[in-house]
Amino acid sequence: MTGQALRGLRTTSWAFGVGALALVWIFPLLWAVATSFRPPGSLGSQIASLWVHHPSLANFREAWGEAPFVRLYYNTAVVVLGILAAQLVTITLAAYAFARIEFPGRDLLFRLFLLQLMVAPSSLILPNFVTIRTLGLLNTRLGIMIPYFASAFGTFLLRQAFRGVPRDLEDAAAIDGCGTLQTLWHVFLPLARPTLIAFSIVSIVYHYNEFLWPLIITDTDRARTVTVGLASFTQSAESAAQWNLIAAGTVIVILPLLVLFILFQRRFVESFMYSGLKG
Amino acid sequence: MITRGARSVLLAMAMLLIAMAGAGGAVAQGVVSLRYYYPVGASGPLNALMTAMVTDFNGSHAGIRVEPVFAGNYVETMAKAMTAVMGGTPPDVAVLDTPELYSLLDRDAIIPLDELIAKNGGKAWLDDFYGALLLNAQSGGHVYSIPWQRSTPIFYYNRDLFRKAGLDPSRAPKDWTELAQYAEKLTMRDSSGQVTQWGVEAPVADTSPWVFQGFLIEAGANFFDTTSGKWVKFNSPEALGALQFILDLQNKYKVHPPGPTSKAFWDQVPQDFIQQKAAMIYSTTGNMTFIRTNAKFDWNAGFMPAGKRYGAPTGGGSFYIFNKIPQDHVQAAWTFITWMTNPAQAARWSIGTGYVPIRKTELSTPAFATHLQQAPQALTATLQLRVAGEQMTIHDVDQIGTMLVTAIQAAQSGRLTTPAALDRAQRDATALLSKY
Amino acid sequence: MARSEATLPAAVGPSIRLRTAGQRRRRAVQGYLFLLPSLAFLAVFTYYPILTSAELSLYRATATVRAHAFIGLGNYAAVAADPVFHQVLHNSAEFLLGTVPVTVALSLALALALNRTHLLVAPFRTAFFYPALLPLIGAAAIWLFVYTPGYGLMDVYLRNLVGNGANWLQDPMWALPAIMLVTVWKNAGYYMLFYLAGLQTISAELYEAARIEGAGAWHTFRSITFPLLGPTTLFVLVIASINAFQSVDQIWIMSAGGPDNTTNVLLFYIYQMAFMFFDLGKAAALTVFLLAVLMGIAALSFRLLERRIHYEV
């Protein structure tokens, strides 16, 4: 077999192998999409099939009316991006301090930071609820966000990245008359871009998925996030699961993100592939 | 010429004033604003209906504004309410799972409603509510809750499958013996011996032992302290008999899926019914609309087949008014509750959701009469109320409920024998209750 | 302002030293100021709650207000004697060891498989990553259907392969693995992205050299790829471990800790204790225990990561 043919065969088997696994991965979504188009009252024996005989938009109409998705999405965007923005500020300052500034107690403080590495504020719901209430931030987006403004994880990551910045560049910037903040902005942050992107992904995915904390903190859709909105579909305490409705609600929630991801996938993945994730 | 300093001060004062005005909120003078937590007990249209009803109330009551707060399912709503209470900001009124009575009393979270009831017609008004629903609304001679979205488990059966099996489709099996007999005829297996159709499915233990309590009541078991919620008796001979019957259905007659029943099973059972994978099921009356919409076969609903007697636990949520809220809030909350539970509104809720009618005069509203013509089974649960028993309402009800659930599951999985499982539940529960 | 190294005058020496004590002090103050925002939030929302939890753990604080009393280590004793707690520990360990290595290994394999140019790579990447975009509460609801016996997706489509499946979420043997599978499904594509990034850092020349020397695929992986992915692997391990301890939404939705406590893990047990049983003292004791475990893992991974860095540099 020629080299080319052999490569072609290998590529084909790769495509099939990975494709089969991808199909398994995507199967639940395919089913959800199919079910969301199935007309209400048709949860018959073909409930597991991917084929829809008489597609209908009725479920979407009903699901759309069930929860104010646009508002919830807006809130989620504000919460997730707001947390990220605040985190980027706090971790940049803290990481620089740990990486480049000498001050007494530095190591001790760093170890203190690490305490939070694995402890999310949501493990401490009750005390944090009381604090949020005392601050008068119940049922606000800020109330959901504020416990997360500091991030030991982000500080740790960024400190690693900052430590890898060549001193020469720092010195050059200083010679040029840059103060600390300017050096941070012009030298450190650009070089730490892959780390920042990696951290941003982690932060966004984590906070976007959070359910229990926003549920406890918020009362109304004024500040609620998409996860809590979905709950009104999925949390059926006394009745059977309305699969059509749940599926439609889920599709509504994931669709914008999926579209965004598909469109920007290349740029997004490649942008933090640049110098990769160095230590 | 305003100095820079003075300008800053003026600016600060202006901002403070604006902030304070903003903090006052959009509520006009003299309007009482109530926070009302409610669970979605059934998915989908419930939320919309509740919001519509609250909007109607707000529209017709100028001095009150109820803010409906969807709070998840019963567990989550209770968690949210208790968190708020313990954090010092209780809601004003909430629909909570009725048996949470003692958990709320222990936290001084709720107020007795006797005075409010007295001013609203007293015993005569209260008597219009079905007695069974009020059983666990009371303690120590006081009434603490008003029934709202209540239910009982009922027995759904597939008449087409009955006919196919040569059984009389006009009625459900009347007792446990008949249930086992019918189920044996209704359990179908394929050539390889795998079951394609189960005779009966009963989600006796998911996150709460609700359906199991029906069996306990029917077995004649006196399994908890109905006066003050301080003791339980899970290992009486009657209780053992009830659990053993379930296990027999699974292991001896093999007409019920084997193994533990758990949270997922609760959702699965009505699905199995409409898929015709189960010929007879126990499920809440709250599922009736779902079954009616999706079952493409002839079906009916009846009482849970009797043990020594007919019986079923009541279930669902009731209205509670919270403690430590201003007096005008209490009054407004009571106005809200009495409006929601008036026959017309209660009928509206019951028709739209499938929850049991909560008061006798509801049945005679024109809306309900029409509804009954289209959905005669809607009356089954109401009729069963006559033989219904009180749902287990005790201190630490959630924790003890979980103990009973894990005991049932342990017996079902074979990890413990029936007596050992119930003994363990009894031991653990008694230890927990010893402090009361 | 930033200049590339190529244009720097060669005469620039080491970092500017702070000569005077005054300068050093000002610099130190700057350090504290930079830390202040983070410390403020950490203090209010992490340290203070930890302290109040620790304090509360010494009290009997149950649903009954009247019972509130100082009981020292009583809650800890109760927890230690609680058979459910032992089950919870066992389940948590099983969950951690079952999901973390599997997901990380799988994500690495996926990254290796998708580290090439082909039209199908982009859609494949989407197929594996999208579960991360699905809120856990939505995903769990769908998986409830997947696991439904008889006509659920798992049984219907795998019947040809495995015959009649078990009652996945209700069989004490299969319930936890079933939930672990959902976790793996959700996270593998997410960690895969980090590995894809990491793979980009390995210069093609190294692979060329290996190829020229006749190294096989496995050998190349073992001696080049995997070692150079060290930092990425540790990063992913840390995130995966955090996830293993902190994402309990799927348990909340799918099994509520059952059947018979076989899917009850530490954080879920804490939620159960605090929000369903309202035994706040015991919940606080369990929280303190969880914190101790987490901090131990954090300390361990920190040490490993530090050592890794020195190795790299």
Side-chain angles (χ1 to χ4, degrees):
Chain A
M1 204 187 279
T2 66
Q4 198 163 18
L6 194 61
R7 264 199 303 280
L9 185 65
R10 225 180 279 164
T11 310
T12 315
S13 41
W14 165 87
F16 270 100
V18 180
L21 196 60
L23 187 62
V24 170
W25 238 251
I26 210 174
F27 210 74
L29 183 67
L30 290 178
W31 175 81
V33 171
T35 308
S36 62
F37 282 103
R38 229 171 244 138
S42 69
L43 293 177
S45 55
Q46 293 310 303
I47 190 177
S49 96
L50 293 182
W51 180 249
V52 187
H53 288 280
H54 303 287
S56 120
L57 288 178
N59 299 311
F60 289 102
R61 267 195 293 270
E62 199 179 340
W64 190 259
E66 265 303 298
F69 283 103
V70 178
R71 170 100 224 175
L72 296 179
Y73 243 113
Y74 175 72
N75 289 337
T76 308
V78 169
V79 165
V80 166
L81 295 177
I83 289 178
L84 182 61
Q87 284 178 331
L88 289 177
V89 171
T90 61
I91 67 175
T92 302
L93 295 175
Y96 181 78
F98 283 127
R100 280 291 193 265
I101 303 184
E102 304 272 340
F103 54 91
R106 188 173 77 169
D107 282 336
L108 179 64
L109 281 171
F110 190 58
R111 275 182 231 295
L112 206 58
F113 256 67
L114 289 185
L115 232 61
Q116 199 245 3
L117 195 68
M118 294 240 189
V119 178
S122 53
S123 318
L124 304 159
I125 281 194
L126 202 48
N128 279 328
F129 172 83
V130 177
T131 309
I132 297 288
R133 180 190 61 95
T134 315
L135 292 172
L137 291 177
L138 279 182
N139 202 32
T140 61
R141 290 183 292 255
L142 191 57
I144 301 179
M145 292 155 61
I146 200 172
Y148 293 102
F149 280 176
S151 167
F153 181 60
T155 307
F156 179 73
L157 277 185
L158 208 54
R159 169 183 175 267
Q160 305 290 58
F162 282 178
R163 279 168 78 164
V165 170
R167 296 245 175 215
D168 300 350
L169 293 179
E170 261 185 281
D171 298 341
I175 289 173
D176 274 349
C178 283
T180 313
L181 289 179
Q182 283 167 305
T183 314
L184 264 176
W185 182 257
H186 292 292
V187 177
F188 282 89
L189 285 180
L191 285 175
R193 207 161 84 117
T195 306
L196 288 172
I197 296 182
F199 172 70
S200 303
I201 296 172
V202 175
S203 172
I204 290 176
V205 170
Y206 179 85
H207 291 108
Y208 168 76
N209 270 295
E210 237 198 337
F211 169 61
L212 208 58
W213 171 248
L215 178 73
I216 294 280
I217 289 292
T218 59
D219 278 351
T220 62
D221 297 326
R222 185 177 80 176
R224 277 190 164 159
T225 55
V226 134
T227 42
V228 180
L230 255 188
S232 67
F233 295 88
T234 62
Q235 296 296 66
S236 45
E238 279 203 329
S239 147
Q242 310 248 47
W243 289 119
N244 317 61
L245 215 53
I246 293 176
T250 307
V251 169
I252 290 178
V253 166
I254 197 182
L255 201 59
L257 293 165
L258 209 52
V259 166
L260 274 174
F261 180 71
I262 293 175
L263 286 180
F264 293 107
Q265 204 197 137
R266 196 153 307 227
R267 235 160 64 103
F268 157 94
V269 171
E270 282 166 14
S271 75
F272 88 115
M273 298 231 265
Y274 252 124
S275 20
L277 213 53
K278 278 253 163 72
Chain B
M1 177 75 170
I2 307 181
T3 64
R4 236 185 30 190
R7 258 214 298 266
S8 319
V9 171
L10 281 173
L11 192 59
M13 280 173 60
M15 285 173 72
L16 193 61
L17 283 170
I18 295 171
M20 279 166 58
V27 180
Q29 274 289 62
V31 174
V32 175
S33 187
L34 294 180
R35 243 174 346 126
Y36 159 52
Y37 287 2
Y38 68 94
V40 164
S43 61
L46 227 73
N47 220 347
L49 181 56
M50 175 62 81
T51 318
M53 289 175 76
V54 170
T55 310
D56 284 350
F57 175 80
N58 286 335
S60 54
H61 291 77
I64 309 178
R65 209 189 90 83
V66 172
E67 196 188 4
V69 176
F70 159 64
N73 59 19
Y74 284 124
V75 172
E76 286 150 7
T77 307
M78 184 66 179
K80 203 167 154 64
M82 285 292 255
T83 309
V85 166
M86 295 189 288
T89 43
D92 298 290
V93 58
V95 169
L96 297 171
D97 203 12
T98 318
E100 298 285 12
L101 175 62
Y102 289 105
S103 304
L104 293 164
L105 281 176
D106 286 337
R107 275 271 152 198
D108 283 342
I110 53 177
I111 60 170
L113 305 174
D114 311 303
E115 277 185 28
L116 295 164
I117 294 174
K119 287 195 208 123
N120 202 58
K123 192 165 179 306
W125 179 82
L126 199 62
D127 276 347
D128 191 30
F129 290 91
Y130 287 104
L133 300 178
L134 289 171
L135 285 174
N136 55 357
Q138 310 173 56
S139 174
H142 300 287
V143 176
Y144 287 97
S145 68
I146 301 294
W148 175 238
Q149 52 191 53
R150 304 297 296 269
S151 58
T152 68
I154 59 176
F155 189 79
Y156 298 88
Y157 57 102
N158 185 328
R159 300 217 285 209
D160 282 348
L161 292 181
F162 268 39
R163 286 187 194 99
K164 239 187 261 176
L167 294 166
D168 176 11
S170 66
R171 65 175 184 83
K174 61 182 188 309
D175 56 28
W176 289 3
T177 320
E178 254 197 4
L179 174 66
Q181 287 169 353
Y182 276 41
E184 277 180 313
K185 293 219 180 82
L186 290 163
T187 305
M188 303 296 166
R189 291 182 166 76
D190 64 17
S191 47
S192 66
Q194 295 290 351
V195 175
T196 52
Q197 177 184 306
W198 289 104
V200 63
E201 285 186 351
V204 289
D206 49 288
T207 47
S208 95
W210 191 51
V211 174
F212 185 64
Q213 287 179 53
F215 286 88
L216 285 176
I217 294 171
E218 290 182 334
N222 194 14
F223 58 101
F224 72 98
D225 173 9
T226 53
T227 330
S228 47
K230 292 196 178 138
W231 56 259
V232 293
K233 188 75 177 144
F234 291 147
N235 51 2
S236 62
E238 294 85 8
L240 271 153
L243 185 54
Q244 194 54 50
F245 178 63
I246 309 278
L247 289 175
D248 286 345
L249 287 176
Q250 290 181 299
N251 305 326
K252 183 165 138 199
Y253 303 108
K254 298 203 197 326
V255 296
H256 182 290
T261 57
S262 71
K263 184 174 195 277
F265 195 52
W266 174 258
D267 279 327
Q268 185 195 322
V269 165
Q271 289 287 347
D272 281 356
F273 187 66
I274 62 176
Q275 300 288 342
Q276 305 207 55
K277 295 281 191 292
M280 308 185 279
I281 63 165
Y282 290 77
S283 191
T284 170
T285 180
N287 269 330
M288 194 171 288
T289 314
F290 172 78
I291 289 179
R292 183 176 313 118
T293 318
N294 289 293
K296 304 284 182 254
F297 49 83
D298 186 20
W299 62 276
N300 203 355
F303 286 16
M304 285 177 57
K308 291 203 189 111
R309 47 162 280 193
Y310 280 110
T314 60
S318 301
F319 281 111
Y320 286 95
I321 300 184
F322 282 78
N323 200 3
K324 303 192 177 107
I325 63 177
Q327 192 52 30
D328 56 349
H329 282 229
V330 171
Q331 274 307 124
W334 182 245
T335 311
F336 176 60
I337 292 176
T338 47
W339 185 85
M340 291 287 269
T341 56
N342 74 39
Q345 295 305 324
R348 180 181 175 190
W349 180 254
S350 177
I351 294 169
T353 61
Y355 281 114
V356 153
I358 52 180
R359 48 199 305 184
K360 301 161 191 153
T361 47
E362 215 179 304
L363 296 181
S364 43
T365 58
F368 204 85
T370 324
H371 177 64
L372 269 184
Q373 285 165 2
Q374 297 154 344
Q377 302 97 343
L379 210 47
T380 314
T382 315
L383 292 171
Q384 199 177 220
L385 280 181
R386 291 196 202 121
V387 294
E390 190 178 337
Q391 189 182 4
M392 182 165 73
T393 303
I394 51 176
H395 292 271
D396 287 330
V397 64
D398 296 308
Q399 199 164 0
I400 294 182
T402 306
M403 288 171 181
L404 185 53
V405 163
T406 50
I408 296 171
Q409 290 170 341
Q412 287 175 316
S413 70
R415 202 156 69 83
L416 293 176
T417 64
T418 320
L422 290 177
D423 280 342
R424 183 185 83 181
Q426 181 64 24
R427 227 183 14 250
D428 293 341
T430 310
L432 192 61
L433 287 172
S434 59
K435 60 181 181 283
Y436 293 103
Chain C
M1 262 301 190
R3 302 173 188 208
S4 71
E5 286 179 273
T7 61
L8 268 182
V12 175
S15 210
I16 295 169
R17 295 265 164 249
L18 299 173
R19 284 180 212 292
T20 70
Q23 271 182 325
R24 273 201 297 277
R25 203 179 315 128
R26 268 202 300 282
R27 186 76 166 153
V29 168
Q30 187 185 51
Y32 291 128
L33 279 176
F34 275 19
L35 283 187
L36 199 58
S38 294
L39 277 178
F41 290 113
L42 284 181
V44 174
F45 295 105
T46 303
Y47 304 144
Y48 170 69
I50 292 179
L51 291 174
T52 50
S53 290
E55 193 200 347
L56 189 59
S57 72
L58 301 174
Y59 284 78
R60 179 174 58 224
T62 61
T64 314
V65 188
R66 283 155 248 138
H68 201 89
F70 180 81
I71 54 170
L73 296 175
N75 283 318
Y76 293 95
V79 163
D82 187 358
V84 178
F85 178 65
H86 298 147
Q87 235 184 324
V88 163
L89 281 182
H90 172 90
N91 294 335
S92 304
E94 192 180 329
F95 191 79
L96 184 70
L97 295 171
T99 55
V100 174
V102 171
T103 319
V104 173
L106 183 58
S107 63
L108 175 56
L110 289 175
L112 288 170
L114 293 187
N115 189 30
R116 63 169 73 195
T117 343
H118 190 281
L119 232 66
L120 286 176
V121 163
F124 280 171
R125 260 199 313 243
T126 312
F128 289 116
F129 178 69
Y130 88 90
L133 299 176
L134 199 51
L136 202 46
I137 181 173
I142 295 180
W143 276 87
L144 271 175
F145 177 72
V146 172
Y147 284 136
T148 304
Y151 51 85
L153 290 182
M154 183 78 77
D155 279 5
V156 164
Y157 290 99
L158 293 187
R159 190 167 289 144
N160 306 323
L161 285 172
V162 296
N164 261 45
N167 195 347
W168 306 106
L169 286 175
Q170 289 168 98
D171 192 330
M173 202 171 62
W174 289 106
L176 192 59
I179 296 208
M180 295 191 323
L181 182 61
V182 179
T183 313
V184 171
W185 171 83
K186 190 155 206 305
N187 291 320
Y190 169 43
Y191 307 152
M192 169 192 77
L193 281 190
F194 298 120
Y195 270 125
L196 278 173
L199 282 172
Q200 299 309 108
T201 75
I202 303 176
S203 86
E205 294 162 356
L206 286 169
Y207 286 126
E208 261 308 297
R211 207 173 56 86
I212 291 172
E213 286 183 32
W218 175 250
H219 192 249
T220 312
F221 175 74
R222 207 161 54 96
S223 49
I224 299 180
T225 317
F226 191 65
L228 288 178
L229 283 177
T232 314
T233 302
L234 276 156
F235 173 84
V236 170
L237 277 174
V238 167
I239 302 191
S241 307
I242 293 177
N243 271 337
F245 275 106
Q246 287 179 355
S247 53
V248 289
D249 290 348
Q250 65 271 50
I251 294 178
W252 185 268
I253 307 272
M254 296 174 82
S255 69
D260 198 11
N261 283 320
T262 47
T263 60
N264 203 344
V265 296
L266 198 47
L267 187 60
F268 183 82
Y269 194 42
I270 294 176
Y271 281 166
Q272 202 179 36
M273 198 59 64
F275 293 111
M276 288 175 66
F277 304 160
F278 306 111
D279 189 340
L280 299 180
K282 218 164 153 193
L286 287 166
T287 304
V288 169
F289 177 77
L290 173 64
L291 294 179
V293 169
L294 291 178
M295 288 194 253
I297 298 182
L300 194 69
S301 47
F302 168 60
R303 193 156 303 162
L304 279 172
L305 273 160
E306 278 274 272
R307 210 176 299 155
R308 193 83 228 186
I309 304 318
H310 291 310
Y311 172 95
E312 276 298 293
V313 171

